[in-house]
């Protein structure tokens, strides 16, 4: 019981730090925000913070892991829903738009950072690979159950969904009104289309 | 004749400066690159450079104008080709992948910059509006000529194409191998799909 409570507390602390880090990145930029600023925002000593995250790269890793967890939760929900594709699109779009909030400039800055920071580049490349593999696996499982057309190329669909999500983040970062002015509708349409096989040529 | 030659020279100088600016942004980041660095890279005096571009924001505006010009050229080419959608997708993807080269991190940084620089935000928002209006106009013209299905929502398709292009840039910025490892194929598929009306529901 003690161990379980400890684990819960640690999880809560990590969540707290990630939220504080996102607030600092929003305010000062990913590059501009220092670990000292994150300590202050989280109300923690440097020793305490470094125990959880040895640097900003570790924070990026944790943000990626959180997104992978969200993706898995949505896939699991869709697997047990009556209409796989519809639920994947609706719940996926919901989680994507909720994850954005005011964070899209931060996500885009982290992508930009990868051009000059090989450790961030390695984390993002690994994240994209895992995300696409998880998505493709989920789509193939749905195909095996007859809940998605076999004609759909699961790997291509996963890669396309990943591109669509990045595009949505970039559009939100470039224009804070984007989500409200139809962006969410375009996101859902693009996701729905990525889950339909292309018509046969000719 | 003198005026025409002058205009050509001015155009050439502007092109030279834009190329120098992109090289500096690549090397030092959009925020890190100074006008002095751009002067040096372009081999021009500060007075000369400021005559053409009073600041980095004016350079962003010129980069946007260049992209609008490319978009118009591709639309014009597609209008006079036998197969409108096929040519728009093929030539569009060609120009998009050529425009990227090693510049995707710069484009993504400029998007990130808009969160903290209202002038850049205004330039990008205006650019996106003009780009989507131009695209939607081109699609509607093709529909009027019976070269695109009337069932296609031209405004939605233009907004979706814009999202897809941003996503492609973001994926290339996050992973330099993206374009070569299938990214270009996904880009073409997504663009082609954006030009097909969705199947009627039910």
């Amino acid at each position: 019981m003690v161990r379980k409570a400890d684990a819960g507390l640690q999880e809560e602390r990590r969540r707290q730090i990630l939220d504080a880090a996102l607030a600092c990145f929003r305010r000062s930029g990913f590059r501009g925000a220092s670990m000292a600023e994150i300590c202050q925002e989280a109300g923690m000593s440097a020793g305490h913070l470094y125990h959880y995250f040895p640097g900003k790269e570790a924070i990026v890793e944790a943000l990626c892991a959180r997104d992978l967890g969200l993706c898995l939760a949505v896939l699991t929900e869709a697997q047990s829903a009556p209409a796989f594709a519809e639920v994947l699109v609706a719940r996926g779009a919901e989680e994507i738009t909720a994850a954005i909030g005011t964070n899209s400039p931060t996500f885009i800055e982290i992508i930009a950072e990868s051009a000059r920071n090989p450790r961030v580049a390695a984390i993002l490349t690994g994240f994209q690979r895992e995300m696409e593999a998880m998505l493709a696996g989920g789509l193939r499982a749905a195909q095996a159950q007859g809940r998605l057309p076999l004609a759909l190329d699961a790997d291509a669909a996963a890669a396309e969904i990943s591109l669509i999500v990045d595009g949505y983040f970039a559009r939100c970062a470039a224009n804070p009104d984007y989500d409200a002015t139809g962006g969410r509708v375009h996101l859902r349409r693009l996701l729905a289309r990525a889950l339909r096989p292309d018509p046969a040529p000719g």
Side-chain angles (χ1 to χ4, degrees), chain A residues 67-119:
Chain A
D67 281 355
L68 286 175
L70 273 178
C71 178
L72 185 61
V74 169
L75 274 173
T76 309
E77 201 179 321
Q79 300 288 9
S80 60
F84 176 84
E86 284 75 357
V87 171
L88 189 60
V89 168
R91 289 283 301 119
E94 225 170 270
E95 289 295 343
I96 291 160
T97 54
I100 287 194
T102 50
N103 290 322
S104 56
T106 297
F107 295 151
I108 295 303
E109 269 187 329
I110 292 174
I111 289 179
E113 176 76 8
S114 69
R116 269 172 222 95
N117 184 332
R119 286 174 59 202

Side-chain angles (χ1 to χ4, degrees), chain A residues 7-26:
Chain A
L9 189 66
Q10 293 232 351
E11 203 34 62
E12 171 62 18
R13 283 270 176 283
R14 285 174 63 87
R15 204 191 49 72
Q16 240 178 300
I17 297 170
L18 290 185
D19 290 341
L22 282 172
C24 295
F25 295 157
R26 263 201 302 277

